[in-house]
Structures are given as structure tokens and as C-alpha cells.
DNA sequence: CGTTACACCTGAGGGC
DNA sequence: TGCCCTCAGGTGTAAC
């Protein structure tokens, strides 16, 4: 589900329900891979704290608490962070309300995949974190504590320059697609937007990164930022004004040029979209538009 | 160091 | 209906 646009849309949606409120109760599922910080520690550290701000770093969300500690969240492949509870409707705009998936509706009951539930002293809306595959992560950072995952992130994808990408590309023999997915080069691009950016630039995902020119890098990064911004504006790929349990009917669905369109005609030239595997991930491209 | 294969986990969908 | 396979918007780690 989540690449940069989905994480940013999530941030904007839950920030009003999180920032400025005092955490009263922390409920979790049993200790697992999901909890980089054990549930017991999480409960002890979060209770009574107030969230001062919520920011996005690449695909991570970072909540800074009033004691200077921080809560690091990652949605992995299937993570969903949402506002839940009797008063949640008051905290959401009508369009945001209409976009809720069934499991995000206020009447939804926590299930075995609902790993984290924050309730607040005011008793109003809660914030829930659900993740079926548990590739998502929750980690509490003590004041001043550094984190290796954050430390290795490159510039945010919305801010990286073509020159920075070119500098990284010159000494890499991997396919350009692999480089776009490398979070230490630029943070936030995932499988969908990498394919889309490459299509818009007319570059095959298999092209060796070191062969890209500076001008090509400039255009590639500009196109990546274009699709990321456009997706944020339309509510991300899985969260849209159209309710879709399978997460495939988001607003972005209609704008996708190549991702998950294997065998379908290219919207520009009509050629059949191809799918190849690069670095154990699928990559989609138009054999005619991308040379 | 860069590159690659694989591990983590659950569920959906296709073919038989 | 069940079984078995493949696939999935991510990323840390071990091994060459």
C-alpha cells in the first residue's frame, strides 16, 4: 500500500487526531516482528505523553513527543494507520470520511491485525495501526537516540535534485529502477512510482544506472516528483474518494500508465505493456515508448 | 564498498 | 471444495 504519497496522505489525515492530545491508553497485540520496541516498553513510554508534531521522512512517519522522545512508524506493505472511534467523524472532513475503507469506518472492531491502538485522555477518536503482514514497524526512540534506519535515508524524493541522483548513478552498475528504489539515494519512491517515472521519461527500467546522462537524471527526477505530487493531490493510490476494499481502485488507478498493466495496451502508443523482474520485484514498461 | 538472494508474514486469486 | 502455486505498494541482512 504505501509509498511516499500514501504515507503523506496518511500523515495529513491522522495529524489532527494525534497532535496536541494526551495519550491515555496504549493497546497492542502480542510481541512480534512488528514491534521493534516491545509492547510493554511502548506502553510505559507513551502513556501520559503528548504528540508535539508528526512528520514524514521518506516512507517513515516520525512523531515527536513532549518529552523529546520520538515514535517511528513504517507502514511496510500492508500497514494502515487511521482514525477510529465514536468521535472520529468530527475530526475528518466529509471527503476524508467518504474515503474510509470498511476497516476504517468508526464501527469497525479491532481484529488480530490491529496491532496498536492509541486512546487519548479526552476520550475522543483513537488512532489505530493495522497491518496484516506485519512488515510495518513501530519503534520508540529515547530523547536524542539515533536510529540506523533514519540515518541511512537519502534526501526526500520530493526534494532530491537530478544532480544528486546523477552523482549516485555514475558509480552504480545496477538497473536504474533498482537505484530509484534505493532509499539511501532518495527516500520515498517505491515500485509503482518508479515504474511510472521511468515511463514518463522514456527510459527502460533495465537500463544500467551508470549510463544515464545528467540531463536524463534531471528529467527522471522531475517526472518522479511530478507523479508523487500528483498522487498526493488525488489522495494516493489506495486511498481515494472511491471506497475500495482491495486498495486497487484509488484515484491513481486511472492515471497509471504501466504499473500492473502487463499485456494491456500502452495509453500512448498502443504497444503491449511488458513485465520483467528486476531485483526480485516486478517492473513494467512500454517496449516502444521506453528505449 | 556494491550487488544479489533471501528472509520476514498473511491473504488473494488462478489453475487443476 | 480443496490444494498448490504465484503474487503483492518494503526493507534488513548475510554472503560473494
Amino acid at each position: 500500500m504505501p509509498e511516499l504519497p500514501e504515507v503523506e496522505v496518511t500523515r495529513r489525515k491522522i495529524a489532527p487526531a494525534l497532535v496536541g492530545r494526551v495519550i491515555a491508553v496504549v493497546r497492542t497485540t502480542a510481541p512480534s516482528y512488528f514491534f521493534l520496541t516491545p509492547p510493554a516498553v511502548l506502553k510505559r513510554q507513551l502513556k501520559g505523553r503528548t504528540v508535539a508534531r508528526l512528520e514524514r521522512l521518506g516512507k517513515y512517519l516520525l512523531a515527536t513527543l513532549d518529552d523529546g522522545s520520538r515514535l517511528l512508524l513504517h507502514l511496510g506493505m500492508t500497514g494502515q494507520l487511521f482514525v477510529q472511534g465514536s468521535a472520529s467523524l468530527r475530526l475528518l472532513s466529509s471527503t476524508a470520511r467518504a474515503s474510509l475503507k470498511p476497516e476504517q469506518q468508526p464501527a469497525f472492531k479491532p481484529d488480530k491485525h490491529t496491532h496498536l491502538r492509541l486512546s487519548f485522555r479526552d476520550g475522543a477518536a483513537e488512532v489505530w495501526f493495522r497491518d496484516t503482514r506485519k512488515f510495518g514497524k513501530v519503534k520508540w526512540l529515547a530523547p536524542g537516540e539515533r536510529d540506523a534506519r533514519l540515518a541511512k535515508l537519502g534526501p526526500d524524493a520530493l526534494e532530491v535534485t537530478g544532480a544528486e541522483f546523477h552523482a549516485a548513478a555514475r558509480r552504480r552498475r545496477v538497473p536504474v529502477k533498482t537505484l530509484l528504489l534505493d532509499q539511501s539515494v532518495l527516500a520515498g519512491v517505491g515500485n509503482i512510482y518508479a515504474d511510472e517515472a521511468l515511463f514518463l521519461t522514456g527510459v527502460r527500467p533495465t537500463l544500467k544506472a551508470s549510463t544515464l546522462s545528467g540531463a536524463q537524471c534531471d528529467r527522471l527526477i522531475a517526472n518522479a516528483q511530478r507523479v508523487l505530487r500528483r498522487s498526493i493531490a488525488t489522495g494516493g493510490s489506495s486511498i481515494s474518494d472511491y471506497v475500495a476494499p482491495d486498495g486497487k481502485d484509488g484515484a491513481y488507478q486511472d492515471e497509471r500508465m504501466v504499473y500492473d498493466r502487463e499485456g494491456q495496451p500502452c495509453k500512448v502508443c498502443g504497444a503491449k505493456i511488458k513485465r520483467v523482474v528486476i531485483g526480485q520485484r516486478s517492473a513494467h514498461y512500454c517496449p516502444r515508448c521506453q528505449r
Side-chain angles (χ1 to χ4, degrees), chain A residues 108-275:
Chain A
F108 186 73
K109 295 266 194 290
D111 60 10
K112 63 176 177 176
H113 302 302
T114 308
H115 298 112
L116 181 65
R117 296 153 62 195
L118 301 180
S119 68
F120 302 87
R121 200 167 283 171
D122 60 20
E126 303 187 357
V127 171
W128 290 11
F129 191 170
R130 212 174 154 262
D131 186 0
T132 56
R133 290 177 77 183
K134 287 189 287 199
F135 287 172
K137 296 285 170 279
V138 176
K139 184 178 184 183
W140 178 80
L141 300 170
E145 182 179 350
R146 289 178 53 81
D147 177 76
R149 295 163 198 258
L150 291 184
K152 62 168 254 189
L153 288 184
D156 194 84
L158 287 177
E159 284 161 20
V160 72
T161 65
E164 287 173 317
F165 187 79
H166 186 52
R170 273 185 308 194
R171 53 194 162 75
R172 301 285 233 102
R173 314 157 29 112
V174 291
V176 59
K177 162 96 188 252
T178 299
L179 204 65
L180 278 173
L181 294 177
D182 186 336
Q183 303 298 297
S184 69
V185 173
L186 72 169
V189 171
N191 216 23
I192 296 178
Y193 302 106
D195 281 1
E196 296 297 318
L198 286 163
F199 173 82
L200 294 181
T201 315
V203 169
R204 289 217 183 181
T206 49
L207 184 69
K208 194 185 294 188
S210 57
T211 66
L212 283 167
S213 69
Q216 276 180 309
C217 289
D218 287 345
R219 290 196 296 126
L220 179 57
I221 292 306
N223 284 323
Q225 292 171 343
R226 188 168 301 137
V227 294
L228 293 171
R229 279 194 301 263
R230 172 64 188 156
S231 183
I232 291 171
T234 59
S237 284
S238 64
I239 305 159
S240 71
D241 52 359
Y242 185 79
V243 177
D246 64 69
K248 287 202 165 186
D249 292 310
Y252 185 73
Q253 164 90 358
D254 304 328
E255 307 193 14
R256 256 180 12 206
M257 301 300 278
V258 289
Y259 183 79
D260 201 23
R261 295 195 67 242
E262 182 185 13
Q264 295 176 47
C266 171
K267 295 179 182 180
V268 171
C269 77
K272 277 193 176 181
I273 300 302
K274 297 215 167 202
R275 172 184 176 276

Side-chain angles (χ1 to χ4, degrees), chain A residues 39-94:
Chain A
V41 178
L42 213 49
K43 289 173 187 178
R44 184 180 345 124
Q45 299 296 344
L46 296 184
K47 190 173 177 181
R49 298 271 65 82
T50 299
V51 177
R53 68 173 198 274
L54 180 66
E55 59 195 316
R56 181 190 57 74
L57 302 170
K59 301 174 195 173
Y60 288 91
L61 285 176
L62 188 63
T64 301
L65 308 176
D66 58 353
D67 63 350
S69 66
R70 300 178 297 171
L71 185 65
L72 184 62
L73 305 167
H74 195 288
L75 300 179
M77 290 279 266
T78 51
Q80 310 169 280
L81 203 48
F82 53 96
V83 181
Q84 176 69 218
S86 57
S88 62
L89 296 181
R90 275 192 277 114
L91 289 163
L92 296 172
S93 68
S94 57

Side-chain angles (χ1 to χ4, degrees), chain A residues 19-35:
Chain A
V19 176
R21 300 177 71 204
V22 184
I23 297 170
V25 182
V26 180
R27 297 180 181 85
T28 73
T29 49
S32 72
Y33 192 75
F34 178 82
F35 294 101

